Amino acid sequence: MTLDTAQPHRLSVPWLHSMSDVVRGAAGVVVTTAAFLVAVAVLVIAQIVVVAARAAVELT
């Protein structure tokens, strides 16, 4: 009686690779959106500072 010494077949899971690509794509979208929102927030704060500075100049 001989033992079966064949290597087990590795499961090929192509959807796992596509899911990894989807997760990477989603992470990219999240990072891009966050960077855009930070840029908008900086511009809004800068506009508020400009308006406040103009108001302060008019008061003097």
Side-chain angles (χ1 to χ4, degrees), residues 10-41:
R10 293 192 110 181
L11 291 176
S12 176
V13 190
W15 60 266
L16 187 60
H17 296 296
S18 64
M19 283 300 291
S20 175
D21 292 341
V22 167
V23 169
R24 281 191 201 143
V29 169
V30 168
V31 169
T32 304
T33 303
F36 175 76
L37 291 176
V38 167
V40 169

Side-chain angles (χ1 to χ4, degrees), residues 33-55:
T33 303
F36 175 76
L37 291 176
V38 167
V40 169
V42 167
L43 291 175
V44 168
I45 291 170
Q47 188 66 36
I48 291 171
V49 168
V50 167
V51 169
R54 285 182 182 169

